[in-house]
Amino acid sequence: MSYSLTTYVVDLDVLHASVGSKDDKLRRMIGGRFKQHLSGFDDQFSHVSDEGGPSIRDAIRAVIEGGPFDEQYGFVYGYAYKWICAFHGRSLFNNDFSPMRSGWLETVDKGLAELGVTAVGVEEFGFGCVPSPLPAPELEPCYGEWSLTECRKALEQWEAATEEGKAALDPAVLSAAESCMDWCRTAVAAGRGVAGFFF
């Protein structure tokens, strides 16, 4: 089974504030920008609506309104939060993480740690949950964040790593680690953080 990690550079404060903001203009703009994607999601998960669950547009509305939520469809609200993040943020290059095998995040974090980079880790994207009051998905998507401060520290640690240490890593791990540092550079340049969704 393959997995995927999608990351965004985003103002985390703005993203968090969208939950329960009751900003109907935001809801309408998200629906307009991602119209085809949202329709595709509903087609893919048509069983949800067949069971009386929320469409992705209903889920986005609920997230922005702060509820109500149907606890058994936590994953739909998780994906709704992803589309809100996509609206506020900018997607980052993730070819080193999509598709990927089980255990890849841990492998990359081990490589980063061997270089002394401990301020950020990709494994946390595979274990975290979307913020309250959204119901936690049973399986996916998982969610995590790197703050601006964490990204700055990670870059400092990366700069202190030796070229010999980098060369000693498996080339695929090194490529993924370099992608992580590119995410951090993009976030620092924008004065923002990184949000990641694992599914």
Side-chain angles (χ1 to χ4, degrees):
M1 182 175 180
S2 64
Y3 300 90
S4 181
L5 173 65
T6 301
T7 54
Y8 300 87
V9 60
V10 63
D11 186 322
L12 295 172
D13 290 337
V14 170
L15 177 59
H16 298 160
S18 297
V19 179
S21 66
K22 305 187 187 304
D23 186 343
D24 194 57
K25 181 180 179 183
L26 171 63
R27 180 193 61 78
R28 287 185 279 108
M29 288 191 297
I30 292 170
R33 181 182 298 180
F34 301 119
K35 183 177 181 179
Q36 290 185 333
H37 294 287
L38 300 180
S39 294
F41 181 93
D42 283 336
D43 289 343
Q44 182 178 355
F45 295 98
S46 58
H47 68 279
V48 173
S49 57
D50 292 344
E51 296 168 1
S55 69
I56 189 65
R57 289 176 180 80
D58 289 339
I60 291 170
R61 181 191 299 274
V63 172
I64 291 173
E65 290 293 320
F69 302 109
D70 187 333
E71 299 288 330
Q72 66 178 314
Y73 296 108
F75 80 96
V76 183
Y77 302 108
Y79 280 103
Y81 189 69
K82 177 182 177 289
W83 287 114
I84 294 171
C85 181
F87 179 83
H88 286 304
R90 180 161 52 93
S91 61
L92 295 164
F93 179 83
N94 74 330
N95 283 15
D96 291 298
F97 296 92
S98 181
M100 61 182 170
R101 64 185 184 275
S102 176
W104 179 237
L105 298 182
E106 297 91 330
T107 300
V108 174
D109 277 356
K110 183 179 176 184
L112 286 169
E114 288 175 7
L115 296 176
V117 179
T118 57
V120 299
V122 287
E123 193 174 2
E124 66 189 79
F125 294 131
F127 290 117
C129 283
V130 291
S132 178
L134 278 65
E138 187 174 335
L139 293 174
E140 62 181 49
C142 297
Y143 175 75
E145 298 175 349
W146 295 347
S147 69
L148 175 59
T149 299
E150 290 169 332
C151 289
R152 284 183 176 135
K153 181 63 177 176
L155 289 174
E156 291 173 7
Q157 294 171 335
W158 177 261
E159 291 303 318
T162 66
E163 291 304 313
E164 292 78 11
K166 294 175 183 177
L169 290 183
D170 177 277
V173 174
L174 178 60
S175 177
E178 288 172 336
S179 285
C180 293
M181 293 305 101
D182 284 342
W183 300 346
C184 287
R185 287 189 196 93
T186 303
V188 169
R192 299 182 172 189
V194 175
F197 295 83
F198 173 84
F199 46 89

